[in-house]
Each structure stands twice: as structure tokens, then as C-alpha cells.
Amino acid sequence: MSKAEESADVAASVAEQPFIGQRLPRKEDRRFVIGKGRFTDDISVPGMLHAAFVRSPHAHARIRSIDTEAALKLPGVVAVITGRELAEFTSPFVCQQEGAAPMEMDALPVDKARFAGDPVACVVAVDRYVAEDGVDLVEVDWDALPPVLDMHHASDPGVPLVDEKIPSNLHTRETHRYGDIDGAFARADRVVKAEFRSQRLTHVPIETRSVVATWDEGREELTYYGAAQTAHILRTTLADRLGLSENQVRVVSPDVGGGFGLKLPLFREEFTVAAMAMRLKRPIKWVEDRLENLTASNHARDDAVSVEVAVLNDGTVLGVRANLWADFGAYAFYPPSYIINVIGWLLLGAYKIDNYEYTVNVAITNKCPAGTLRAPMAIVTWASDGMMHRVAEELGLDPFELRRKNMLSLDDQPYQSAPGYPYEALTLREGFDETLAKFDIDAFRREQADAAEKGRLIGVGIASVVEPTTYGSAWYKASGDDGSGHEAATVKLEPTGAINVTAGIVGTGQGYETSLAQVVADALGSSPANVDVRLGDTYIAPYGMGSRGSRGAAAGHGVAYLAAMDLREKVLGIGAHLLQRPAESLKIVNDEVVTRSDVGVSVPVREIARIAYNDPTSLPDGMLPGLEAHRTYDPPFMTFSNATHLCQVEVDAETGGVTIVKYRVHEDAGTLINPMIVDGQVHGGVSMGIGQVLLEETRYDEQGMNVSATLADYLMPTMDTVPMIEVEHLETPNPNTPQGIKGMAEGPVQGAVASVALAVQDAVARSGGRLEQLPFTPSRLLGVLRASRSG
Amino acid sequence: MTAPKPRTIQVTVNGETITASVPDRKLLCDFLREDLSLTGTHVGCEHGVCGACTVLVEGRPARSCLMLAVQADGRAITTIEGVSGPDGSLHPVQRAFHEQHALQCGFCTPGFIISTIAYLEERDPSAGPVSEDEVREHLSGTLCRCTGYTNIVRAVCQAAAELSES
């Protein structure tokens, strides 16, 4: 069977299942709409203390001494601890990156603060008000150093080292080459250059970071309640750094008020709180305030892409040479090259280009450390589509025709991208064509010309998104980073027929309690109402790799489906024994095992469950009691989804304000488990991309002070800046995953960054404006328009 | 620094009259969450921008992070826990948020539901059906990072239509 036939086969079998593919309202909603969700800050433990942190007012400063005496005298303050004291009983985090210097991070800094907001001491008190009073009484004697704030000059002579244990502030410089790049440039009629630069952003989940840590003195066991996208990996790290055995630590991630890639690593504040709970033998809570969240959690997106494109005059792209830069901030919670490398291997986007070279440069600076914000590679689609528009512009060709000519279609697949990634069942050109069929670009160009006559600036942008979704363990091996992409699930049919499911993924708003119930209900012939899903508690859930990237669907739901299918086999085996029919002739429908042919011959699953637990001697010979299945699943090297985004904007020539007039998405995420939830993921991702292009920006002044430290300064998208987003689906199953699931969640950010940026560029192009630096704020747009008018 | 002095206040919360002793500096949101265990009111920014902590004070929306508990003395407060019917039935706004998939992580949801209820109750019924633009104007002071607002606008329109019929 060909891959295309396999895809069609999967699609046909999915269509027969009652719940996969249904827009089922979410099971978890009720508790949230009545105010009975249980988030970390909602947890109170008797005797609980509260922590607050002393933070550096300098971007870069040596700690001469810390005087905690006055704080300790304040009634209600229980303890004050510094990095030096913590280092006596905790281990540092060491971030390894193949071919580069490892970077170490203490529980709290011992000798030096590396960014404004760096935590240097922790005050523990009877309530948070008193803890914050105590923070004001801690005296730190600082020796301020010159801050390193410009990634491009971080390793210039005379610039001090941010991390004195590594040889250079330029932590990573490496080049990757594919094909014959020199030959491509030698053959080119022309070389086109383009730049795409993003601003620094941050995650802003509405629930900030938070933790409650308790130490059970009797069992000698730490329980860590905290919003964590990867509960098990956090447990491993906690145990390791606290000198505990992994069976002495329980991590519970309760309801999480948004993650977006922030709530992944073990942060220093959380680690300090856990260490102090052990030391004081008292429960401790810490809830970050918004100032801390905006200045000292994780930042992202401080990166830049510059490309040179070797082309023939007919629009054929022969090769691309790219130089990528990232400002990684002061500490490494992740291997510094990891995120910028994703931009590197994805930069050719939807286009068939054989010869490619990219260089990554990562600088360590005196800014808040960088992390993984939903779609860490967010600017990549803007760069890949944007460079094709620049090529078209220089060659005087139609950009959409030029893109189409170089774009991958289903006929080209399976296809291996120049950096070696397998593209399969992606409808890039198909989605592009469908989008253009529904949007009359010629009519729009006429409207645009008419509008220009009247001084109005309108534009359209179309983005072709390639979204990497599920990273298999083979990918981790190839990348040189430690880790795995497998996932685990346990499905239990209880004696009454009720079904319990757990897995290693951890929800942060994705509706897993509903979508996992849908796939398990289909496998076991039950209904989602009969399936309960519990995630995020390492006592209950099997060891998995958590929720990051867009792995939840293919890895997390794929493995739950496979576990449920294993259990189905046992249920049918018992049914066959009871009904005296071959198992192959049976199926499960509405919680009853029935035969495919004979009406009226059936046995309820509940009766099978009763026998499995309470009457095991009636089971088939040799079959073990109970009804539970556990299994793991390792997805392919990499799976991808794709989408086409169309955005139409108007730029106000007087104010520089941008209004989004139309936003449309053609998404192809393969088999959809719950299209309603997928639509929601598209809406949220697009909103975040709009924020990146038009609004959000983390800013530092020349001393390295964060000057975007409130939500009045850091502008998130509001209800009146995001338009209604139209979503349509193509469903081309991936032939290599359970049920043909591909997953999605980050692509909508990529698509919005690209389509909004290209639309605004299209609107100002007629007046000669060139936009290379996000965000496109009113003042920046007015500047560009003025410059092009006067130039 | 002197220890903050407690003061006795009397507030009516979700119809129940409560007498409590609170320090002057305690925020209303902390009083509701910590002293009354009404944790449905969420704290998102503590500077009055995100709207997650919105409650009704004498029927009008207020940011409980910008108000001290002592300022609520003698007043009636409604939180998300007081919105459903006595039999546990959902308010039309709560139901609309569920049916339109207007929540993902659910953290901003109580503030949105309270703000929506206040908006729809204060609205002049003779003004005709609500439009999407009107909803966006009235509720743009509450932030959501998950949904992109598309389904929240739909939910508010659905609830408005339902409430105007009843």
C-alpha cells in the first residue's frame, strides 16, 4: 500500500469511530466556570509559611555581603537564606550542550547577580505580607559591574564575562552545511538579502509561577505542588539536586493557569522553596507576582535571522545561506543553541531548496534567561516566506507565483528537507491554492490601488506554515541533547466498568480530560462520560515527557489509544470465552461486547470487569486477573503539521495603528480528535502571534533595567485587538502515527507572525517602507512611513 | 515597622453576612481567598490590569486586587461562587462559556464571567441585540492568554441573546 493509500485508509477507519473527531464540549469546564478549579495558589496546608525573594537591582553586580539580621528580627519572619547557605546542601543545575561549555546555575547566586531581578536571598515568614516586609530589610552590599546588553558585541575585547566559568559570552557559534552551497551561489544570477528580527518577549500566563512544597518528616518525603508542564522530569531534577532518592519526591501539577512553555524547567525560586521546606520541616508557598513574572521568569524570542538567497532570474531558488543570532540572557535553563537551531533546520519552510548553510550564534548577556515560549521558532515562517517575497520583489516577479513554483506539494512527498527532516502528508501547496481560490488576489490588488489613491494603506499577507509537532527519541539522539520523545499511559477498567486513564502529559488548558476520554472511549467502545482522566501527579501518572512543543496529541493521545487497544484485546478475549465465539467476531459497542453478526448475543463490559476482578477463576485458562494496561510509545523521528494563514490589514497613515480586517486559517493537523479544541488552539496561537507583531515587547534601558515590568507597559493582545479568526480544516492523516494524528499548537503562532508581518509590509510597500524589526508599533510604522516619504 | 493592626468588618458575601477581623493592609482578593476560602477569585497581576480578580461590589464590577478588605466594610460582594443557581444550575453566562469553548486553562474565566454578568445586567435592554464590536469594547479590560477571545465574544453574544429572551 502506498503512503497516500495508507493515509486514506486511516481516514476511513477514523470516520467510523463515534467520538474521535467530535466537537465534544469539555468535561473539565464545569469546575472552572463555577470557580472550583484547583490551582496551586488555591492549595493551603496547615502550618504553611510564605516565601518572598530579595532581587538584584543591578544588571550585573558582585555580591560583597548580605546582611539578614534586621529581617530576621522582624516578628513573623522565620528564616532568611542566601545562595551561599543553599549551596551547602543543594547541587547546582548543570546545562550540557554538545560541543560547547556546560553552564552551571546555583540554587541562588553566590558571588554575583547577572540580571536585574536575579534572586539572591529568600525570606520565609508567616504570611506573604510579612515576607515582603522582610525582603525590604535584607541589606545587600553590591559592587556594580558594567552590564553586557548587546548580543552582537558580547564578546568584544574588554567586555566582562557574564558567566565566569565559561570562556566567552559568545557561548555557541556553529555552522551546518547541506548540499553544494558554494556551487549554488556560484551558479546564481543574483543574490538577494533579507533580515528578520524579533524583539524580546515573555510568556505571561495569567497564572504566574507558583509552588507549595511540603516535607513529610515521618516518611522523609517531599511533595511539590506546582504548575509543571513536565511533572516527571521535574521530579528527577528535584530529587537529584536535593540529594533525595526519586521515590522520596512526589510532584503534583494541579490545574495550571496557562503554561506556554514557561512552566517547564525547575526554576530557582521553586527549587529554593522546596529546599527550605525540607530544611525548616514546614510547608512553604511561593506565588510569583506579576513584576517578578515579567522581569525574572523566562524571556524568549530575542533572535534575528539574516539570509542570502541564491536565485536564477526565472525565480528558481538555488540555495540559502543564513546567519542566526540569539540573546540567551544570563543563565541556561536549556541548551543555549537549542531554540535557535530549530529556526535553523526549519528555515527553508515550505520550499524545495537543496543547498543550505546556516550559522548559529548564541550570546550570554545580563538579561533575564531565555526559555521556550510557545513556538520558540516563531519568526521562522516570516523569514522563509518573507525571503521569497524579497526575491520576487528584486526579480520583478509575482510573489505568490514564485512561492508556488518552489513550494512542496503532496506529489513531492515523502520528501526530505535539506537538513534531513522527513515531510509526509503535508498539504502545503494544496492549502495555499485553496486559500488563493477563496481570496481574489487580483481584485484585492485593484482595491489596494484605489485605496492608495485615497491615502489608505491596505495589505494582505499569506503564510505557509510547516510546524514540527512531535519529537521522537531518535530526534533527541540525533540532536545531541539528552532526552526522549516517548510517552506513557495507563488505562484501567475498574470492577464497575468505570474507566480511569492517566498519561505523562500534563494539561495547561488543552482540554486533555476531554480529548483523552474521546480516544479511550472509542478504543474501548465506551463513552467519554465513563472515562475519567487524571494527569500531573507522579503518584498516579506513569513517567512521561510532559507537554511541550505540540506533542500532546500524537504522543500523549497516541499512547493512551494504544494502551486502551491493548486492554480492548483482553476484554474481547474474556468476551470470547463467555460468549463462546472467536474474539475476531466481537466488538465493543456502548459498553457491551457484541458479535458482529448475531443480534442479541452480548455481554456487558461491566460483567466482564466484575469477573476480571471478583471472579477470576471464570476467566479463560491462564489469563491473569484485573483489567489494566500500561504501555509506552515512541513517535517517529519527527512529525509535522501544516497550515496556510491569510491576514488582511489596514494601516492608519496618520497614527501608524494597524487594524486586522480579516483572518483566515486553513489548518491540516491530520486526524483531529476534537476539532473544537483545535480551533481554540488556532485562535490562541494566532492571538499570540498578533501580539508579537503589533504589541508586545520586553525592553531594557542602557543600564539593563527592565522598563516593561507591568501589564500597562508590556502590552498583551486584548479583546479589541484580536479579530474573529476563521478556521477551516483539511485532515490528511500522518501514515506513521496512531490514528493518523499529527498534533498542532505552535504553528498558529508561526502563521500569525508571518501573515500579519507580511500584510503590514504589503500595506507600506507602495510607499517604499521596509520592515525588518518586530514589533510594528505605531511609532515604528510612522517612522518607516516618514523615512520613505522623505527619502 | 509595626505590626499591622486588625480591624473588624462586616461584609455580605454571596448573600451571607460575615464578621471578620482583618489587618488594614489586606487586599480584598486575599481576604476572599485566604480568610473565606473563596479561591474562585483569581489574582493575575495585582495592579488592576488583567481583570482576573473582578468581583461585584454592590452589583458593580470591581478589581479586588485594587481594594482593601476594610473598604468592603458594610457592602455586599458577589464572587464567582455566588453566580450559579442554588440547585447548582449554571448561570446562562457560565453555560455559554462552556458551550462556546470560551475557556482553556480557566484561570481568567471567573473574572470574565463576573465582568460579563455586570455588563449584561447594566446594559440598556432597549439598545437591541449586542454586537461583536460592542462586546469587544466592553470587555477589553480583561485579559486572556489562551483563547484569542474569538470564542469569548461568541459566548457573550449567546448569553446576551438568552438573557434578553428571559
Side-chain angles (χ1 to χ4, degrees), chain A residues 127-430:
Chain A
D127 70 30
R128 179 171 153 194
Y129 290 76
V130 176
E132 292 189 6
D133 290 342
V135 164
D136 290 342
L137 296 173
V138 174
E139 290 287 338
V140 185
D141 185 8
W142 296 104
D143 176 16
L145 302 167
V148 182
L149 299 168
D150 180 350
M151 63 174 158
H152 296 290
H153 296 284
S155 61
D156 285 0
V159 174
L161 281 174
V162 174
D163 180 339
E164 286 157 20
K165 290 184 179 166
I166 66 172
S168 168
N169 290 333
L170 185 60
H171 176 271
T172 307
R173 172 168 280 170
E174 59 187 36
T175 298
H176 304 256
R177 276 187 202 89
Y178 309 97
D180 176 14
I181 191 70
D182 293 332
F185 276 78
R187 279 188 291 136
D189 291 331
R190 196 189 281 246
V191 173
V192 177
K193 295 182 180 180
E195 289 211 25
F196 307 90
R197 298 193 298 271
S198 178
Q199 74 279 41
R200 182 168 270 257
L201 295 187
T202 188
H203 308 65
V204 206
I206 306 298
E207 180 206 36
T208 55
R209 293 180 293 160
S210 46
V211 58
V212 176
T214 72
W215 176 252
D216 181 331
E217 203 179 346
R219 300 183 72 105
E220 298 188 303
E221 182 178 274
L222 178 79
T223 300
Y224 176 102
Y225 301 93
Q229 294 174 229
T230 58
H232 291 90
I233 297 173
L234 198 79
R235 184 186 72 181
T236 305
T237 312
L238 261 174
D240 182 47
R241 295 185 58 195
L242 290 171
L244 296 172
S245 165
E246 200 164 353
N247 52 23
Q248 286 177 283
V249 180
R250 175 189 185 192
V251 171
V252 184
S253 187
D255 288 328
V256 181
F260 313 110
L262 175 65
K263 295 164 180 175
L264 277 167
L266 176 59
F267 285 102
R268 293 174 300 165
E269 295 91 340
E270 300 162 347
F271 180 58
T272 299
V273 165
M276 288 302 284
M278 271 179 75
R279 164 142 296 205
L280 299 174
K281 302 182 171 55
R282 295 279 299 273
I284 304 176
K285 176 186 277 188
W286 175 67
V287 178
E288 176 184 57
D289 68 23
R290 186 57 69 184
L291 172 76
E292 293 174 299
N293 175 257
L294 290 170
T295 59
S297 56
N298 261 181
H299 290 168
R301 306 271 203 273
D302 199 347
D303 42 37
V305 173
S306 56
V307 291
E308 296 179 331
V309 190
V311 293
L312 296 179
N313 283 332
D314 68 357
T316 304
V317 178
L318 299 175
V320 171
R321 194 176 262 146
N323 197 25
L324 315 178
W325 276 87
D327 180 337
F328 209 65
Y331 297 96
F333 286 95
Y334 303 87
S337 72
Y338 156 55
I339 293 164
I340 195 76
N341 252 326
V342 180
I343 295 180
W345 56 253
L346 205 55
L347 185 64
L348 303 179
Y351 306 101
K352 293 176 279 186
I353 301 170
D354 296 332
N355 306 300
Y356 179 42
E357 173 190 295
Y358 72 91
T359 299
V360 300
N361 307 270
V362 187
I364 305 302
T365 63
N366 290 118
K367 297 180 193 170
C368 177
T372 55
L373 168 57
R374 183 179 192 173
M377 64 314 219
I379 62 166
V380 76
T381 306
W382 177 39
S384 53
D385 290 343
M387 74 186 177
M388 300 305 265
H389 281 259
R390 290 279 295 113
V391 168
E393 189 187 329
E394 293 218 6
L395 296 176
L397 299 173
D398 177 81
F400 296 118
E401 270 311 307
L402 179 134
R403 281 172 59 183
R404 202 174 173 279
K405 172 185 160 86
N406 288 285
M407 195 180 287
L408 278 159
S409 79
L410 274 175
D411 298 337
D412 299 312
Q413 298 166 61
Y415 173 85
Q416 191 172 35
S417 73
Y421 284 79
Y423 292 176
E424 226 173 323
L426 300 185
T427 50
L428 286 158
R429 202 165 80 198
E430 292 74 10

Side-chain angles (χ1 to χ4, degrees), chain A residues 26 29 33 35 41-42 128-129 133 202-203 257 260 289-290 509 676 680 683-684 696 711 717 719 722 724, chain B residues 1 25 27 30 33 39-40 42 44 46-47 80 88 94 98 101 103-105 132 136 145-149:
Chain A
R26 300 196 321 171
D29 282 355
V33 299
D41 191 22
D42 302 340
R128 179 171 153 194
Y129 290 76
D133 290 342
T202 188
H203 308 65
F260 313 110
D289 68 23
R290 186 57 69 184
M676 177 194 79
H683 299 158
E696 300 178 38
L711 289 180
M719 198 184 255
V722 182
M724 293 309 264
Chain B
M1 218 169 289
R25 67 175 179 173
L27 298 176
D30 289 344
R33 292 177 50 80
T39 55
H42 296 154
E46 293 178 289
H47 53 277
I80 187 68
Q94 291 173 309
H98 169 59
H101 186 35
L103 60 147
Q104 290 183 26
C105 79
E132 287 177 3
R136 285 179 190 281
R145 192 57 149 173
C146 297
T147 65
Y149 305 105

